[in-house]
Amino acid sequence: MADSAETRKLVYLVTGGCGFLGEHVVRMLLQREPRLYELRVFDLHLGPWLEELKTGPVQVTAIQGDVTQAHEVAAAVAGAHVVIHTAGLVDVFGRASPETIYEVNVQGTKNVIEACVQTGTRFLVYTSSMEVVGPNIKGHPFYRGNEDTPYEAIHRHPYPCSKAQAERLVLEANGRKVHGGLSLVTCALRPTGIYGEGHQIMRDFYHQGLRLGGRLFRAIPASVEHSRVYVGNVAWMHVLVAQELEQRAALMGGQVYFCYDESPYKSYEDFNMEFLGPCGLRLVDTRLLVPYWLLMLLATLNALLQWLLRPLLLYAPLLNPYTLAVANTTFTVSTDKAQRHFGYKPLFSWEDSRTRTIRWV
Ligand SMILES: NC(=O)C1=CN([C@@H]2O[C@H](COP(=O)(O)OP(=O)(O)OC[C@H]3O[C@@H](n4cnc5c(N)ncnc54)[C@H](O)[C@@H]3O)[C@@H](O)[C@H]2O)C=CC1
Ligand SMILES: C[C@@H](CO)CCC[C@@H](C)[C@H]1CC[C@H]2[C@@H]3[C@H](O)CC4=CC(=O)CC[C@]4(C)[C@H]3CC[C@]12C
C-alpha cells in the first residue's frame, strides 16, 4: 500500500548522511517514512553501503559534495521538501583548525539556509548539540536541566562556539520567506553524547583496553554524571520532527529540543563500561593514584605537545584540557518537550540500545 506511486512523493535531503548519525537517519527514513519518493544523501565522503540501498522502492541519490560550497549545496537542495542538516566537523581534539571548524559548521549551515530560501525548500531540521549549552568554561554543572533551564552558556572552544552560532542562524531563519512566497520552518535538535553502532570513540576505548591487558583506568569520579542518548533514538527524533514540522509549524518552528531517551545517567567512563564490560574489559579505580591536578597537568602537556609538534605531525590525543573539563562536569538533561510538542517516545528501550551497541563493539 505504502509503495504506491501516489503515496510516495516527498524528497528528503540528508547532509552528512554518511556520518555516524547521518547513516542512522538515512536508514531510519527508509524504514519509517512511507511517503518518501527520493532520498538524497549528501556527504564529503560517500560510504560504499549506500549501494545496497539503491535497490529498494525509494530512489536513493548519493551526492558527493561539500557544505562549504554554496553552489553544491544549492544544487542538492533544489526540489527537496525537507532538509535534515547533520553534516558537521565534530572536533574537540585539535585535529582541524578553528577556521576549518567555523567554515564547515557555520558557513556550511549558512549555505544550507540560503539554499532553502533560494530554491523554495520549506522545512529544515538542524542537528545541534548539548554543547551549545554546556558544560561552560566555568565548569558549572547542568543537573537534570531542560530547554528552559537558566545556564551561563559561555564557551571558548571552536566546536561549541561554532555549533551555537550555527544553531542561532537556523532558529533566526524560521519564518523567512522562501522562493515561491511560503515561510521557512526550522528547528534544532540538541543530542547529548551519542552512542551506538558506529561510535568510533567507543571502539577506540575498546582497543585501548585490549592493549592495556583488558583494563581501563578510571580518571573521572563516578559522581560526575552525563546524559547519553542512543543513535537510533536520535535518528528517530530527526525523522519524527521532519514529519511533524508541516502540521505543527506554529508550535515547533524556531524551537530547540534536547535529544533524550531512557539511557541511565552515569559518568562517561561508567556508561562506556555498560558496553565494554560485557566485551571483557574492566574499569580499575586509580583515582587516588591519579589525582585531578595530575590529569590536568597531563592534559596541558598534551596541548603543549600538540602545539610544538604541529609543524611536523598531528598529535591529537583524547585527553586535553577541554575534553577533561567536559568529562569532569556533570551535564544531564531531563525533559519531555519533544513528547509534548510532537509525540516523541524513544523507539529503542535502554535494553535494546545496550544490546545493539554491545553487539557492534
Ligand atoms: N557524536 C556526538 O556525540 C554528537 C554529535 N552531534 C552533531 O551531530 C552531527 C553528526 O555528528 P556525527 O555523526 O557524530 O559526526 P560524523 O563525523 O560521524 O559525521 C559528520 C558527517 O559530516 C560529513 N561532513 C563533514 N564535513 C563536511 C563538509 N564540508 N561537507 C559535507 N559533509 C561533511 C562527514 O563526512 C561525516 O560523514 C554533527 O553536526 C555534530 O555536531 C551533536 C551532539 C553529539
Ligand atoms: C578524561 C578521559 C579519561 O578516560 C576521558 C575523555 C573522554 C572524552 C573524550 C569525552 C568525554 C565527553 C565527550 C563529549 C560529550 O559527550 C559531548 C559531545 C557532544 C558533541 O556534540 C560532540 C562530541 C562531544 C564533544 C563528546 C566528545 C568526547 C568527550 C569529550
Side-chain angles (χ1 to χ4, degrees):
M1 178 197 63
D3 278 354
S4 77
E6 303 88 76
T7 51
R8 292 197 173 275
K9 46 185 175 242
L10 294 185
V11 177
Y12 271 65
L13 168 69
V14 181
T15 70
C18 293
F20 165 42
L21 171 63
E23 178 176 345
H24 285 266
V25 172
V26 164
R27 292 185 187 278
M28 187 64 74
L29 276 168
L30 291 172
Q31 284 166 22
R32 299 264 167 180
E33 176 47 281
R35 298 168 303 165
L36 201 57
Y37 164 73
E38 183 190 354
L39 177 54
R40 297 179 188 166
V41 182
F42 182 98
D43 205 297
L44 204 50
H45 308 289
L46 295 176
W49 53 271
L50 276 174
E51 288 308 311
E52 90 211 24
L53 305 182
K54 290 185 177 168
T55 52
V58 177
Q59 183 185 325
V60 176
T61 311
I63 307 170
Q64 195 274 322
D66 185 340
V67 288
T68 68
Q69 302 303 311
H71 63 284
E72 294 183 9
V73 179
V77 170
H81 295 97
V82 183
V83 175
I84 301 183
H85 178 40
T86 79
L89 196 44
V90 185
D91 182 19
V92 289
F93 308 112
R95 292 180 188 137
S97 70
E99 293 76 21
T100 310
I101 294 176
Y102 277 95
E103 191 62 16
V104 176
N105 294 352
V106 182
Q107 186 59 46
T109 303
K110 267 188 201 163
N111 292 343
V112 171
I113 295 169
E114 290 312 318
C116 290
V117 170
Q118 281 163 27
T119 66
T121 294
R122 286 197 60 211
F123 304 104
L124 170 60
V125 182
Y126 173 62
T127 315
S128 181
S129 167
M130 64 174 249
E131 292 264 307
V132 310
V133 179
N136 63 16
I137 49 171
K138 297 182 178 173
H140 292 157
F142 186 85
Y143 183 75
R144 310 284 194 267
N146 65 28
E147 291 81 354
D148 299 317
T149 303
Y151 186 80
E152 258 187 280
I154 321 163
H155 304 288
R156 241 184 257 125
H157 193 281
Y159 176 72
C161 290
S162 68
K163 293 298 284 185
Q165 227 173 297
E167 184 191 90
R168 202 171 326 113
L169 291 171
V170 168
L171 301 179
E172 283 170 4
N174 182 60
R176 268 182 78 180
K177 289 278 172 282
V178 302
H179 180 78
L182 295 172
S183 300
L184 181 63
V185 188
T186 66
C187 78
L189 300 187
R190 294 173 172 168
T192 55
I194 307 174
Y195 69 94
E197 304 94 308
H199 183 210
Q200 200 45 53
I201 301 181
M202 187 82 78
R203 275 253 170 97
D204 293 347
F205 277 120
Y206 177 64
H207 289 126
Q208 188 182 29
L210 289 185
R211 281 196 301 275
L212 295 171
R215 288 165 302 175
L216 284 170
F217 298 97
R218 186 192 292 282
I220 304 296
S223 56
V224 176
E225 286 183 352
H226 281 233
S227 276
R228 303 287 290 274
V229 60
Y230 176 62
V231 66
N233 287 323
V234 180
W236 172 229
M237 205 157 158
H238 280 70
V239 171
L240 209 52
V241 167
Q243 287 173 338
E244 296 297 323
L245 259 189
E246 183 164 14
Q247 294 301 319
R248 305 182 195 220
L251 177 66
M252 294 169 64
Q255 294 288 324
V256 295
Y257 300 94
F258 277 123
C259 292
Y260 55 90
D261 62 12
E262 293 150 356
S263 305
Y265 303 119
K266 281 184 181 241
S267 75
Y268 192 79
E269 290 164 334
D270 284 307
F271 190 83
N272 286 352
M273 287 313 290
E274 289 284 345
F275 319 103
L276 302 179
C279 294
L281 300 193
R282 70 194 168 85
L283 188 61
V284 181
D285 214 317
T286 53
R287 271 212 322 113
L288 294 176
L289 297 175
V290 191
Y292 186 71
W293 66 263
L294 187 54
L295 270 177
M296 197 52 187
L297 187 69
L298 285 174
T300 310
L301 265 177
N302 274 342
L304 186 67
L305 269 177
Q306 179 172 78
W307 182 74
L308 287 173
L309 295 173
R310 201 176 282 285
L312 304 171
L313 57 95
L314 179 65
Y315 176 66
L318 286 187
L319 183 68
N320 65 45
Y322 181 74
T323 56
L324 180 59
V326 174
N328 198 46
T329 307
T330 287
F331 196 101
T332 51
V333 303
S334 171
T335 171
D336 62 356
K337 184 173 175 185
Q339 194 203 330
R340 284 185 285 109
H341 281 206
F342 53 93
Y344 164 77
K345 279 201 197 94
L347 196 57
F348 302 91
S349 66
W350 160 235
E351 268 316 307
D352 248 8
S353 311
R354 186 169 174 268
T355 309
R356 285 166 177 262
T357 308
I358 293 170
R359 216 183 293 137
W360 179 79
V361 174

